[in-house]
Structure formats: C-alpha cells, structure tokens
Amino acid sequence: MGKLLLRFARLFAPVFRKQGVDTGLLYAIVELKLLMDSRRVYVSWRQKNQKENNSQMTWTLLMYTIMGGFAGLLIVQLPIIPAMMIFHAFVIFMMAMTLITDFSSVLLDTADNQIILPRPVNGKTLFMARLIHILIYLVQFSISISVIPVIIGFIVKGPVVGSMMILTSQLAVLFSVSLTYILYLLVLRYSNEQKLKDIVSNFQIAMTIFFVAGYQVVPRLIDIVDLEATYHPAWYSWLLPPVWMAIAIEAVSAGIYDTQHSIMLILAVSFPILLFWAMNKYLAPNFAKQLDALGNTGQKNVRISDSVVKTTPGISTALGRLISRSAVERAAFSNTWRITGRDKSFRLQFYPSLAYIPVLLFIFVFNSGKNMGQVMQELPQSNKFIILMYLPMFTVNTAVSLLGFSENFQASWIYHAPPLARPGEIISGSLKAMLVKFFFPVYFFFLAVAIFVWGSSVINDFLMGLFNSLFCILAVANLSEHFLPFSRQPNVKQQSGKFLNIIVQFIVIGVLVGLHFFIVGKIWFLYGVTAFTAIGSWLLVRKLQSIQWNKISV
C-alpha cells in the first residue's frame, strides 16, 4: 500500500514545486525511506538467514480495523451529527496519539540532517520528505480505522454520507498531522537550544494530555436520553474540527446550506489544507536547522553529562548488586539504567506515555458525573484503590517496548564478543532495571496515596497487586519475541503500533481490576493468590534468565 500511496502523492508535484520543493529529490528520498523500512539491518552475523517478520504491520492494521468497527456501530445507533462527531473525534484522537506515541523519534530524527543536507537538498525538500513518509503510514492506519465505519455509512446513511466520510476522515488525518507538526516546529523554533530536549519531552506530555482530554470533551457535547442522542450547539463547537466535519456531512447529505452549515462546511474542508500550507510555507524552511540543534551538544552540556556519569553509576551499581545474582545481569542492569537516563530518543518516546497514567486515573476515579468534592467525600467508602494498584503497569510495559531500539544499535556487537552462555541474563537484568527505575517508584507512591485515603487495610491488597503486576509483566516478557536491549535499528514499521499496545495494556489492566474486585475482603484467598503469583514470578524470572542464543531475535 505504501507504493500506491506514494504514486498518489506524485499527483501533487506541481503544488510542491510552487512551494520550493525539489520533487525529483523528494520522491527519491521518500521511496528510499520506504525501502529501508521494509528491511532490517542485522547486527548478528549468526542470524543473517533469519527471515524478516513482516506480520507486525499487518497485525497492527488489523487491530486498528477492529477498533474502527466498534466506532462504526455508533453510526447505526445514533443520528448523523452525533455519530459523525464521535467518528471524527476518534480518527483525530487515534492519529494524533499514534503520531506522538509511535513516530516521535522519526519526527525528530536528526540522522537525515547529517546524511542528506550536506548534499544539494534544501530544508523544505527534506522536511516534506519526512512529512510524506509519516503521512503514508498514518493514511494506512486511517484507512484501517475508517474502512468499516465508511462501509456502514454507505449502507445505513446513504452514498453521499459514505463519500463525504472518505473525504473528511482524510482531512481529519491531515489536521492531526499538521497541528502536531506545527506545535513541534514552534517549540523547535523559539526554544533555547540548551533546554530544547527537556522542552520537547514536556511538550509531548502536554500534547498527550491535550488530545486525551479533548477526546473526553467531544462526547459531552452529546446528550443521551433514552438511547437517543441529540446535539445542542455551544459556543466552543466552533473550535472543534469533529463538529465542523459532522455538520459539513449533514449539510451536503441533507442539502442544508444556512449560515452555520455553510461556515462549518468551509472550515471542515479549508482549515486542514490551509494549516498544511502554512506549515510548509512559513515553518518548514528553518525546520532542519532547528532540528539539528537536537543532535548537537555544547561544551556546557558535555560538562553536565560528565557529572551525571560520575554520580549515576553508583546508584545503578548498588541496586544491581542488591537484586541481580550474576555479573552479567548486574552489568545489564547498570547499562540499561544509565542509557535510559541519557538516550534522547528513549526519553522523547517514554515520558509522554506516562501522561496516560494521570489521565486514566482521572477518567476512572472522577468520571462519574458527580462534582469533585462529592467524589472525594465518597472515595474512602469505595474500592477504587484497586485502580491505583494496576495503572503503574503502563510504565514498565511501555519502557520494555522501547528497550530494544536505539539509534546506536551498531554498538550491540559487544553482546556477541564475550563468551556468554545465557544471554537471557542480559534481558532479565534490563527488565529488572525497568522495574526498579520506573515501576516501583510509581507503585509505592500510589500505595502511600491509598494508605492516606483508605487506611492501612489496603496494604494486603497492594501486596497482591504488586505480585499480580509482576507476574503479568514477566509473563509478557517470556511470551514475547526476545531482543537484546538497544540492539535494533529504529524505523517506522518496527515502531508502529505502540499506541495500540497501550490499548491492549488498558484491557489487561481492566481485567485484573475486575478480578480483584471479587476477592476484596477475602483475606485467606488473597494470601493464596499472592503466594501463587509470587512463586510464579520467581519461576518466570528464572525462565527468562535461562534463554539461549537460539531464542534471541535481531
């Protein structure tokens, strides 16, 4: 599908040329990027004949299609405006979060600047090549999300609505990409270069919260009474693209062209296109120059890094000796601890994902239709502390999904140099570092909050929740494909689907919370489950440590 979408992009060559883009170089760069994404760079000479696993992208697109199917069911049940509002809010939310979660490292990749810009390639051409590269993959995701709702729209609402949904869903993708890109570009253009990395990390967290919160706002524009949804326009409806697109579809399908419908129809069609044009016209020329600042470190920063090198190993080494049983595992623990603290790509992808924790916490705990004061007053009488026990799983699961990738993946040859009999100890040491650094601090913070709100009686439940979480994390680590830490080359195809993994984690956590509700107060049963999962966790760690070389993928 990538090649087909690239052919479609060639139709816009005259537009690109007017913007100062060298279209010959543009399409050559994009084609090369797509070719590189379809290949894997092998570091281990002992697995050169191993076949590439191409199923990840297919599986991700299939899961997005299934999720889109659930959104399509609303089209059958709801009137056209509420249904289209929720559908387009869903598309914008999924595309924005996929862009932030999955493709942030590609968006902010500085390798192209060193490889391509020294050649006769201008900044606009490189910027547009990077943008089209991302758009091709996001359009595949948007097609997967939209295909079932569009088919349902054709059948239930008619061919005009179905045709409009095709147009507006792709405009929603263009809006998501353009808005996210513009905000990134503004940060890159007007920030202090020395603080730019931290600013971008914080900005990604803010973007995550913004889009998740926005997805909570749109359904609240709809009043559901007796299973019939009605839409009551408010002043802030004029600020929400899903509302524009829903009313635009109604305008065309029903032939209503009053002032409100006409203005929102114009906004729905023109605003994403104008946003894209403004981004390319005014922000693209200096993008490569500003992005290059991310990859350069001044002398002041080098001295700061040196100070970190002197202090951090003491913590990681001491903790590694405490919880690791072999020298190999201790070395992997210390190495992972330090790299995750320094690696720009890891931090840019990991820390924004932590924003899901407070957002989901707010949704589960306070999203009950009651005011904040009433919820806080009733909280000690509820069992909502169980939610606090399982949300920290997001931290380590997200970190582990990123652990295999590094821009300096070539350095992983060091794993094959010493005579290691059990490379599984490298994986177990890295996983322990993730647990100690990211999981336990969040978990014990939530424990302290729960004791403050519910009292010390929750300690037994938190003990069970701790071993349940560890058991699930270790089970996933054993069942997943095994990669040595920081040994894989990051690219779009391999890194796509992280946001989908977050959705799957959310489902697993929901199941654990539901099961835990049934055994609250049953103290002996609780102790029995805790003992079972504790022993199971220990056995899973031993199994992870015993992994042989023939089980390691590259």
Side-chain angles (χ1 to χ4, degrees), residues 79-239:
I80 185 169
I81 289 184
M84 294 301 107
M85 283 172 55
I86 293 177
F87 167 68
H88 288 94
F90 178 69
V91 172
I92 290 174
F93 170 75
M94 292 293 291
M95 290 301 99
M97 295 315 304
T98 300
L99 184 64
I100 293 171
T101 308
D102 290 10
F103 299 139
S104 59
S105 62
V106 182
L107 265 172
L108 302 173
D109 183 22
T110 59
D112 288 345
N113 294 354
Q114 288 112 31
I115 297 172
I116 299 178
L117 280 184
R119 276 70 180 173
V121 179
N122 61 46
K124 275 191 176 182
T125 301
L126 180 57
F127 170 81
M128 189 57 63
R130 183 184 279 113
L131 182 60
I132 291 177
H133 180 218
I134 296 295
L135 272 172
I136 285 175
Y137 279 94
L138 289 182
V139 167
Q140 294 181 70
F141 292 147
S142 71
I143 292 173
S144 298
I145 290 173
S146 305
V147 61
I148 293 179
V150 167
I151 292 173
I152 293 175
F154 269 102
I155 297 172
V156 176
K157 305 295 184 182
V160 176
V161 172
S163 302
M164 283 294 294
M165 287 176 66
I166 295 174
L167 172 64
T168 55
S169 63
Q170 298 311 307
L171 288 171
V173 174
L174 190 63
F175 171 80
S176 301
V177 175
S178 300
L179 180 62
T180 307
Y181 237 122
I182 283 176
L183 292 174
Y184 272 126
L185 290 170
L186 291 174
V187 170
L188 290 171
R189 185 167 186 175
Y190 298 109
S191 296
N192 185 315
E193 292 183 5
Q194 295 179 358
K195 298 180 180 179
L196 193 54
K197 298 176 185 178
D198 294 333
I199 290 174
V200 171
S201 297
N202 295 332
F203 172 71
Q204 284 185 304
I205 295 173
M207 283 288 293
T208 302
I209 296 174
F210 170 77
F211 280 109
V212 174
Y215 191 62
Q216 292 295 309
V217 168
V218 171
R220 282 161 177 75
L221 296 174
I222 303 169
D223 296 326
I224 299 179
V225 181
D226 297 329
L227 297 180
E228 291 188 4
T230 58
Y231 169 67
H232 301 289
W235 64 267
Y236 47 82
S237 300
W238 295 90
L239 305 176

Side-chain angles (χ1 to χ4, degrees), residues 521-530:
K522 302 175 182 178
I523 191 69
W524 293 110
F525 190 74
L526 186 146
Y527 284 146
V529 173
T530 302

Side-chain angles (χ1 to χ4, degrees), residues 259-469:
T259 303
Q260 180 184 12
H261 285 75
S262 298
I263 292 176
M264 289 200 175
L265 175 61
I266 294 171
L267 285 173
V269 176
S270 63
F271 189 79
I273 297 173
L274 289 174
L275 201 64
F276 183 84
W277 173 82
M279 174 184 63
N280 183 54
K281 178 73 174 178
Y282 298 107
L283 296 175
N286 294 324
F287 176 73
K289 184 187 300 182
Q290 297 296 329
L291 185 61
D292 193 47
L294 282 174
N296 296 328
T297 354
Q299 195 64 32
K300 180 179 179 180
N301 289 337
V302 172
R303 287 195 293 270
I304 293 174
S305 296
D306 290 341
S307 65
V308 173
V309 170
K310 294 176 183 177
T311 57
T312 305
I315 300 172
S316 60
T317 302
L319 291 173
R321 288 173 181 170
L322 184 63
I323 67 170
S324 300
R325 69 172 194 168
S326 69
V328 172
E329 198 172 59
R330 287 195 295 271
F333 181 98
S334 181
N335 188 52
T336 301
W337 183 288
R338 281 178 278 178
I339 290 178
T340 54
R342 300 175 191 169
D343 187 76
K344 168 180 65 71
S345 178
F346 179 88
R347 288 187 287 114
L348 286 178
Q349 294 180 80
F350 172 68
Y351 287 109
S353 66
L354 296 184
Y356 286 101
I357 294 179
V359 170
L360 291 174
L361 185 63
F362 179 84
I363 292 172
F364 288 136
V365 176
F366 298 106
N367 192 16
S368 58
K370 303 176 182 178
N371 62 60
M372 189 76 70
Q374 187 177 357
V375 172
M376 291 298 296
Q377 187 177 0
E378 297 175 356
L379 205 56
Q381 285 76 46
S382 69
N383 291 330
K384 289 186 176 180
F385 62 85
I386 297 176
I387 297 170
L388 299 180
M389 294 160 42
Y390 294 103
L391 281 181
M393 285 179 62
F394 272 111
T395 60
V396 68
N397 284 333
T398 303
V400 169
S401 69
L402 301 172
L403 194 59
F405 299 98
S406 175
E407 293 178 357
N408 300 314
F409 67 97
Q410 296 95 336
S412 61
W413 66 267
I414 194 67
Y415 295 131
H416 306 281
L420 297 179
R422 297 190 303 178
E425 291 184 341
I426 299 175
I427 298 174
S428 64
S430 298
L431 182 57
K432 287 180 179 180
M434 296 294 96
L435 289 169
V436 174
K437 189 172 186 179
F438 300 119
F439 175 74
F440 288 133
V442 177
Y443 195 88
F444 289 119
F445 171 75
F446 282 169
L447 172 60
V449 172
I451 292 175
F452 176 77
V453 176
W454 285 275
S456 59
S457 60
V458 302
I459 293 177
N460 290 327
D461 288 282
F462 265 82
L463 183 63
M464 174 183 167
L466 175 63
F467 285 108
N468 282 352
S469 299

